[in-house]
Amino acid sequence: MLSGSEPHAGSRQTGEVIAGKPVVIVGAGPVGLTTALGCAQQGIPFVLIEDDAQLSLDTKAGTTLSRTLEVWRRYGVADAMLRHALRVDEIGDIDRATQQARNSVRLDVLGADTRYPFVINMPQHHMEPVLEAAVRATGMGEIRLGHRLVGFEQDGDGVLVKAQTAQGAVEIEASYLLGCDGGHSTVRDLLGFTVEGESMPERYALVDLELDLDVADRRDYPYLAYFADPVEWMILVRHPHCWRFLFPLAPDVAEPSLDDLRAKALSFVGAVSNVKALNKVVYRVHHRVANRWREGRIFLLGDAAHLITPMWALGLNTGVQDASNLPWRLAWVMRGWADAALLDGYEREQKPLALDGSREMANAARAYMQKQTQTAAAMTDNNWSNAYTRAMLAIRLDVEGRGDSSMVKSESEPPLLTGDRLPDALVHAPDGRETRIHDLCGDRFVALYFTDVRRRPSVPTSSMALAHYVVSRWDAPMDSGLRERALLDVGGRLARRLGVAPDTLVLVRPDEHIAAIAPIAPGVAERLYAHVTGRASAPSALSIAAGMSSAGLGIPSQVHA
């Protein structure tokens, strides 16, 4: 995977298919389908069950952010998505009264940090068939439509999942049960979990219109634009097949007709000829989070765990981050490479993003759209930080349990901390080709040794679970024995971007988040890996220096330049 191309959804370096009972995933929406891809990428067999007899025709989801595209790339489906979507490198900000642009967010500034310096527009009912085809192509599991979950029983060895079909009752023996079954989650209800938070008094209405704003009635609006107004704001989304207009509705207003919404849309953009109204959706807005996300071998993901406002595309995109965090943990535990306590980190890391991070961004979005403030906490006068935040690249997970998670960056290219996403920077791989560093991650942990390769540092050989690379602005000498483990960091750009001091090790998790930053020392990568995975020692498959032991050795503190 050094060519920069997208790995196949079923490609793995973490070993053969995991034997035993499959994981059962409930719900074939975008989060459930993405979770299935994540399981396949880690070698986990799955059965995905869905109550309905067909995929959803729901048209609500519209904009997919850069970080979600990175997850889909890791799971082998981003290229297929891009073939069906519109790419957007500018998030427009327009004053409704004057029709003048305010401070648009330009995403092209993210090119050094991601191969996706844009977001994409694509409705959910177009997205799901692409995900479904990718899931089926993995050959790692099956999708069973028309299977309604009615119950489950779990013990220390697995979960017995009970479903009802048109042909009668069925039972599936599972290793784990993953509830991706939406805001009215049956899994959550059967567990007896409650949801806490608030339902907003306002509703949202969207209308899809087929009209020409490019030639006949040229407007030059960005493909994603926010029309700000203290009284009545609007979000404009250009989809491949139509233009979508989304508005807030007052609590006491009757549900508008399709013609009403058509007229409202045109009140924002002016008179347009040959307008065809396609459909409308009216829905409530919530910010409600389940009090618990796990019970033994059963987990909640996506809307089953959190109902989040769609402002700034937080709903679906936050759910995909759940599907990024959990599958690798399951694989490590199922392979015996990690202690079962590794699974506890899923809720600890993801719940604060839904509970606090998304709320902060949503409140800032509403305030900004209503022109109540020009400087909301999640919006600064710095285009780079706005772009990084809005693309959801700014997520910091609370990997150490210190309560320091975040979804917002307020300055340009700050030094990275543990929990931050590793920027997908360009490096030159051992085979000489230019590649993005995420191509080296995704299926195992990666230890990056930022040091001078000319000094022949001691760098262990890689295994299925932990890879080792030295990162240096100097090319590895031919006689160093390090050519196959060396990444050329031209000009030291990546080291500066991370803000690391010389002779620093950065341990990266399979989900591309930083697990630890520490000074380089003999055996430090293996000790950090063992600490993160909860093992007394690293797996026997790992190459560990002779006589090296982690017993009695502390974990070095995080360091930065």
Side-chain angles (χ1 to χ4, degrees):
M1 294 191 295
L2 300 181
S3 65
S5 61
E6 178 176 279
H8 185 272
S11 65
R12 300 174 301 278
Q13 288 184 332
T14 45
E16 298 301 318
V17 175
I18 297 174
K21 303 171 186 175
V23 165
V24 169
I25 303 165
V26 183
V31 174
L33 292 164
T34 300
T35 301
L37 289 174
C39 288
Q41 190 253 356
Q42 290 293 346
I44 303 173
F46 63 85
V47 176
L48 191 156
I49 64 173
E50 165 61 45
D51 184 4
D52 292 336
Q54 62 181 2
L55 295 182
S56 171
L57 298 178
D58 193 345
T59 186
K60 285 195 293 186
T63 298
T64 300
L65 305 178
S66 304
R67 182 56 185 154
T68 295
L69 288 171
E70 290 184 340
V71 175
W72 281 345
R73 185 212 64 83
R74 188 182 349 131
Y75 292 170
V77 72
D79 288 350
M81 286 293 184
L82 291 172
R83 285 193 290 271
H84 294 84
L86 284 178
R87 289 162 287 192
V88 183
D89 70 352
E90 177 184 4
I91 302 175
D93 182 351
I94 299 171
D95 182 274
R96 182 191 181 184
T98 65
Q99 289 285 303
Q100 297 299 307
R102 298 201 296 171
N103 299 314
S104 293
V105 178
R106 302 301 299 261
L107 300 172
D108 59 289
V109 299
L110 305 178
D113 272 37
T114 179
R115 71 191 74 193
Y116 306 114
F118 48 79
V119 300
I120 63 170
N121 290 339
M122 183 182 191
Q124 184 170 325
H125 63 289
H126 290 185
M127 176 192 304
E128 289 188 7
V130 178
L131 289 170
E132 179 195 24
V135 169
R136 295 189 186 280
T138 68
M140 289 292 298
E142 55 181 314
I143 300 174
R144 300 184 185 179
L145 300 176
H147 280 59
R148 178 171 59 87
L149 178 72
V150 294
F152 47 75
E153 299 172 4
Q154 67 167 317
D155 57 27
D157 296 322
V159 185
L160 180 64
V161 180
K162 302 176 182 181
Q164 188 68 39
T165 74
Q167 289 73 40
V170 298
E171 294 184 344
I172 308 170
E173 292 188 1
S175 56
Y176 293 90
L177 175 62
L178 311 183
C180 305
D181 49 342
H184 300 287
S185 170
T186 300
V187 175
R188 186 185 65 223
D189 289 346
L190 290 173
L191 287 171
F193 293 174
T194 60
V195 290
E196 302 169 350
E198 58 184 336
S199 295
M200 309 299 181
E202 69 265 28
R203 294 163 296 160
Y204 284 177
L206 67 81
V207 60
D208 288 340
L209 301 181
E210 188 177 283
L211 72 169
D212 181 5
L213 297 182
D214 295 324
V215 180
D217 300 284
R218 177 176 172 176
R219 291 294 192 274
D220 289 336
Y221 293 135
Y223 281 177
L224 176 60
Y226 290 72
F227 285 69
D229 189 85
V231 177
E232 188 178 51
W233 50 264
M234 184 267 288
I235 301 172
L236 178 66
V237 182
R238 171 69 185 271
H239 278 307
H241 68 297
C242 69
W243 289 85
R244 171 166 296 171
F245 300 76
L246 183 139
F247 322 87
L249 293 178
D252 55 349
V253 171
E255 179 171 325
S257 67
L258 188 60
D259 286 340
D260 291 336
L261 291 177
R262 177 185 182 277
K264 182 184 284 287
L266 296 182
S267 74
F268 278 85
V269 301
V272 179
S273 58
N274 300 319
V275 180
K276 180 181 180 181
L278 302 179
N279 62 273
K280 72 178 180 77
V281 176
V282 176
Y283 55 97
R284 296 292 304 273
V285 180
H286 309 275
H287 195 103
R288 307 179 71 193
V289 178
N291 64 328
R292 297 175 60 194
W293 291 26
R294 177 193 180 191
E295 176 68 39
R297 290 176 171 267
I298 304 171
F299 295 81
L300 301 180
L301 299 86
D303 283 357
H306 47 76
L307 288 168
I308 297 174
T309 173
M311 289 296 293
W312 282 357
L314 294 174
L316 166 65
N317 290 279
T318 303
V320 169
Q321 304 317 304
D322 301 340
S324 173
N325 195 310
L326 184 57
W328 71 268
R329 295 177 185 273
L330 293 173
W332 254 248
V333 172
M334 294 171 76
R335 293 186 188 280
W337 291 354
D339 187 86
L342 182 70
L343 299 175
D344 296 337
Y346 164 69
E347 179 176 342
R348 185 188 71 238
E349 293 177 1
Q350 293 301 119
K351 188 174 181 179
L353 297 182
L355 194 61
D356 301 318
S358 294
R359 185 192 304 275
E360 176 188 11
M361 291 181 65
N363 288 340
R366 279 189 288 269
Y368 198 75
M369 290 298 295
Q370 294 167 0
K371 300 177 70 174
Q372 293 176 358
T373 176
Q374 296 295 317
T375 55
M379 288 288 290
T380 73
D381 58 1
N382 182 301
N383 181 70
W384 188 93
S385 60
N386 289 339
Y388 214 70
T389 297
R390 298 284 289 275
M392 209 174 270
L393 302 179
I395 291 176
R396 178 185 303 133
L397 301 175
D398 184 15
V399 301
E400 297 177 334
R402 297 178 178 177
D404 63 348
S405 64
S406 175
M407 294 179 69
V408 175
K409 287 287 184 288
S410 58
E411 57 180 301
S412 292
E413 300 192 354
L416 268 68
L417 304 174
T418 54
D420 278 329
R421 157 198 163 274
L422 178 73
D424 191 16
L426 286 169
V427 293
H428 288 264
D431 62 5
R433 287 181 288 179
E434 184 179 73
T435 188
R436 292 277 185 172
I437 202 161
H438 282 190
D439 290 331
L440 308 178
C441 306
D443 46 22
R444 51 185 170 174
F445 280 75
V446 174
L448 302 174
Y449 298 73
F450 287 86
T451 189
D452 189 339
V453 73
R454 298 174 299 173
R455 309 306 179 215
R456 274 55 167 192
S458 177
V459 178
T461 55
S462 298
S463 74
M464 292 186 298
L466 176 60
H468 302 264
Y469 293 98
V470 59
V471 184
S472 176
R473 64 174 293 260
W474 305 96
D475 204 1
M478 295 295 181
D479 61 352
S480 66
L482 294 170
R483 292 285 294 187
E484 296 307 311
R485 285 170 284 167
L487 303 174
L488 179 62
D489 180 20
V490 176
R493 162 66 184 167
L494 179 56
R496 289 197 307 275
R497 174 67 187 90
L498 269 63
V500 294
D503 300 320
T504 295
L505 180 136
V506 177
L507 182 67
V508 184
R509 306 189 322 188
D511 59 5
E512 297 148 357
H513 283 270
I514 295 174
I517 305 174
I520 293 175
V524 65
E526 291 88 347
R527 297 197 304 275
L528 289 168
Y529 174 90
H531 174 70
V532 171
T533 58
R535 304 286 292 187
S537 61
S540 58
L542 295 174
S543 300
I544 304 177
M548 184 65 63
S549 172
S550 61
L553 296 175
I555 303 301
S557 299
Q558 174 174 285
V559 294
H560 294 287

